[in-house]
């Protein structure tokens, strides 16, 4: 029986993960759950899975403390509470489904405590991939990607010599604005940007998918999870979201991973590796699926992908600034303060103002994150005038 601490249980990754865990009760026991603000859903999850500890957002601690469903549990709150759940001595595996930059410190704490970590929080490896992977290696900890593209890549490349792999290819749906002109994209509303054609996700990652920054984050993640050179990682636009990734080998052959776009499959693959077990995800009917199309990404209309490649090549603290500025830009767009095309502009202008440092320690990474957020807010304020 594997005991699990799930961070971000009420988000899209968290709810899908709990669906998977519910289907494998003989293998997994939920010890800890954390939620930000959705106390009602957290209470439902507590009744169903009966964890011993829960954590909520700082400002929701009073509301949570008054709920009968949470009486008798150890109730924690805020960043310190997340770290407590990530380092719980009863836990075998920490699943990080947190949103944005909130996931880094709990991941580092879990690894330092010797806990294996399944990471759906892309920003963790984007911001500090070199530090997290080095710490995991020193502590003998497994880092498991929890993602529709990276999980099957990670699973299928186990035992394969890196020298045999020429490149990997990540697929992107292209988001809701694939066919739009720059003028149309400039007028796009948050409501339009949140209409992802194939996936149902939280607002932050949905906007990242619309700008292709999400795919840029996956490029950087692949660099750290798979130990590949940046030039070995390609991206194609695949509107049907059926082919999730491909691997090209030295002999020129390619293998592809195909499935319905359902996060429960990669989550179960990650949690039960190396076994493959039945899932509730339906089998793929290739005949009814029909044609599959692939396109090169348009980096003029979607510059965030190019920016991600750029900072990955540059190294140092640039990736921390990329993530910080993007987070500020995305939330400013969702709040109606800036336009859709202003998001990559905020990121580019923040990066242009940044003096890159080595990023060899956490202090440098956190300082770059702080500076990037402050600079991006300044740029957003200027766009509002």
């Amino acid at each position: 029986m594997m005991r699990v601490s799930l961070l971000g249980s009420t988000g899209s990754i968290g709810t899908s993960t709990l669906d998977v865990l519910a289907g494998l009760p003989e293998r997994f026991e939920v010890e800890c759950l954390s939620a930000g603000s959705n106390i009602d859903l957290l209470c439902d999850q507590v009744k169903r899975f009966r964890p011993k500890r829960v954590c909520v957002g700082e400002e929701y601690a009073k509301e949570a403390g008054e709920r009968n469903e949470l009486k008798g549990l150890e109730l924690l709150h805020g960043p310190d509470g997340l770290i407590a759940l990530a380092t719980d001595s009863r836990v075998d595996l920490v699943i990080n489904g947190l949103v944005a930059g909130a996931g880094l410190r709990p991941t580092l704490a879990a690894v330092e405590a010797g806990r294996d970590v399944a990471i759906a929080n892309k920003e963790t490896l984007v911001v500090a991939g070199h530090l997290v992977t080095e710490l995991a290696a020193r502590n003998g900890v497994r880092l498991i990607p929890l993602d529709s593209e990276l999980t099957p890549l990670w699973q299928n490349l186990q035992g394969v010599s890196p020298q045999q792999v020429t490149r990997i290819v990540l697929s992107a749906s292209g988001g809701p604005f694939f066919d739009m002109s720059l003028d149309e994209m400039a007028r796009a509303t948050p409501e339009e940007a949140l209409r992802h054609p194939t996936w149902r996700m939280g607002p932050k990652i949905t906007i990242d998918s619309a700008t292709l920054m999400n795919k840029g984050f996956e490029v950087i993640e692949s660099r750290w999870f798979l130990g590949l050179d940046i030039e070995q990682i390609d991206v194609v636009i695949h509107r049907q979201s059926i082919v999730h990734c491909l691997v090209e080998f030295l002999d020129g052959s390619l293998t592809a991973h195909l499935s319905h776009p359902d996060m429960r499959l990669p989550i179960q693959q990650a949690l039960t590796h190396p076994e493959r077990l039945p899932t509730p995800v339906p089998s793929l009917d290739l005949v009814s699926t029909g044609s599959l199309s692939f396109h090169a990404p348009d980096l003029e209309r979607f510059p965030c992908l190019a920016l991600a490649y750029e900072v990955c090549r540059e190294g140092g603290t640039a990736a921390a600034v990329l993530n910080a500025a993007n987070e500020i830009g995305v939330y400013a767009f969702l709040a109606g303060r800036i336009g859709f095309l202003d998001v990559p502009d905020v990121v580019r202008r923040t990066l242009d103002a940044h003096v890159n440092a080595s990023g060899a320690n956490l202090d440098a990474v956190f300082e770059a994150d702080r500076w990037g957020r402050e600079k991006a807010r300044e740029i957003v304020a200027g766009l509002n005038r």
Side-chain angles (χ1 to χ4, degrees):
M1 180 73 71
M2 181 173 288
R3 294 163 300 180
V4 173
S5 181
L6 174 57
L7 310 183
S9 67
T10 58
S12 60
I13 290 293
T15 54
S16 294
T17 298
L18 288 175
D19 281 348
V20 171
L21 298 181
L24 299 168
E26 72 288 353
R27 288 173 173 260
F28 298 99
E29 180 179 351
V30 177
E31 288 281 336
C32 310
L33 293 174
S34 85
S37 59
N38 195 338
I39 307 302
D40 288 339
L41 180 53
L42 176 64
C43 288
D44 290 342
Q45 293 173 345
V46 165
K47 285 191 290 186
R48 186 179 181 193
F49 292 95
R50 301 188 181 281
K52 297 178 178 64
R53 306 174 90 184
V54 297
C55 176
V56 299
E58 198 89 56
E59 61 271 41
Y60 296 93
K62 184 176 184 296
E63 177 186 349
E66 294 170 350
R67 297 297 293 266
N68 289 330
E69 299 93 334
L70 304 182
K71 301 292 186 185
L73 298 178
E74 184 177 357
L75 177 60
L76 306 170
H77 54 84
D80 289 343
L82 288 175
I83 289 175
L85 265 56
T87 58
D88 191 305
S89 61
R90 295 165 296 195
V91 165
D92 304 302
L93 176 70
V94 176
I95 302 174
N96 186 344
L98 296 169
V99 176
L104 177 56
R105 290 183 188 272
T107 297
L108 288 167
V111 173
E112 190 70 60
R115 307 288 177 266
D116 290 342
V117 187
I119 303 176
N121 174 256
K122 300 179 189 302
E123 292 84 355
T124 292
L125 288 189
V126 169
V127 170
H130 57 305
L131 298 174
V132 175
T133 52
E134 287 171 7
L135 182 62
R138 286 201 305 271
N139 288 7
V141 164
R142 288 193 311 155
L143 298 177
I144 305 166
L146 218 165
D147 179 83
S148 58
E149 287 79 30
L150 266 68
T151 298
L153 280 169
W154 169 81
Q155 187 174 47
N156 293 328
L157 289 175
Q158 298 292 310
V160 175
S161 168
Q163 289 72 34
Q164 295 295 307
V165 177
T166 304
R167 64 176 177 136
I168 63 169
V169 182
L170 305 171
S171 68
S173 72
F177 303 145
F178 173 73
D179 296 317
M180 278 192 180
S181 68
L182 282 169
D183 287 342
E184 290 173 315
M185 291 167 71
R187 298 190 298 271
T189 66
E191 292 74 22
E192 291 169 330
L194 290 169
R195 294 174 194 152
H196 195 281
T198 50
W199 294 96
R200 295 296 172 263
M201 306 172 290
K204 165 61 164 59
I205 192 172
T206 303
I207 301 303
D208 283 345
S209 294
T211 65
L212 289 194
M213 182 62 89
N214 187 58
K215 203 54 50 178
F217 284 171
E218 287 176 12
V219 168
I220 300 173
E221 275 192 297
S222 299
R223 161 75 180 85
W224 298 114
F225 267 128
L226 306 176
L228 297 172
D229 185 82
I230 187 64
E231 307 306 331
Q232 293 177 279
I233 307 169
D234 285 345
V235 172
V236 297
I237 304 299
H238 170 54
R239 297 295 283 164
Q240 296 82 12
S241 296
I242 295 296
V243 177
H244 300 285
C245 55
L246 304 99
V247 180
E248 182 180 78
F249 295 96
L250 277 177
D251 59 9
S253 64
L254 290 123
T255 63
H257 176 83
L258 288 74
S259 72
H260 285 291
D262 188 321
M263 275 304 299
R264 291 175 297 175
L265 177 57
I267 290 169
Q268 182 164 308
Q269 287 175 320
L271 299 185
T272 63
H273 177 82
E275 293 183 79
R276 292 184 181 271
L277 303 174
T279 76
V281 179
S283 178
L284 186 65
D285 183 338
L286 291 175
V287 174
S288 63
T289 297
S291 299
L292 302 176
S293 60
F294 302 91
H295 311 268
D298 184 338
L299 299 182
E300 180 184 359
R301 291 189 303 127
F302 299 100
C304 285
L305 179 58
L307 292 173
Y309 271 100
E310 180 182 310
V311 303
C312 197
R313 293 186 181 100
E314 189 174 347
T317 53
V321 172
L322 172 88
N323 175 70
N326 178 69
E327 193 171 323
I328 297 300
V330 166
Y331 285 119
F333 168 66
L334 285 170
R337 297 175 58 205
I338 63 175
F340 180 76
L341 293 182
D342 290 328
V343 175
D345 185 49
V346 167
V347 177
R348 161 51 68 196
R349 291 170 61 182
T350 305
L351 284 169
D352 285 346
H354 174 58
V355 178
N356 199 18
S358 70
N361 58 66
L362 275 176
D363 288 342
V365 169
F366 288 133
E367 171 56 23
D369 177 83
R370 183 205 62 77
W371 180 91
R373 291 172 190 276
E374 184 177 299
K375 185 64 178 179
R377 290 189 187 101
E378 176 186 315
I379 293 169
V380 166
L383 292 171
N384 282 326
R385 293 191 188 116

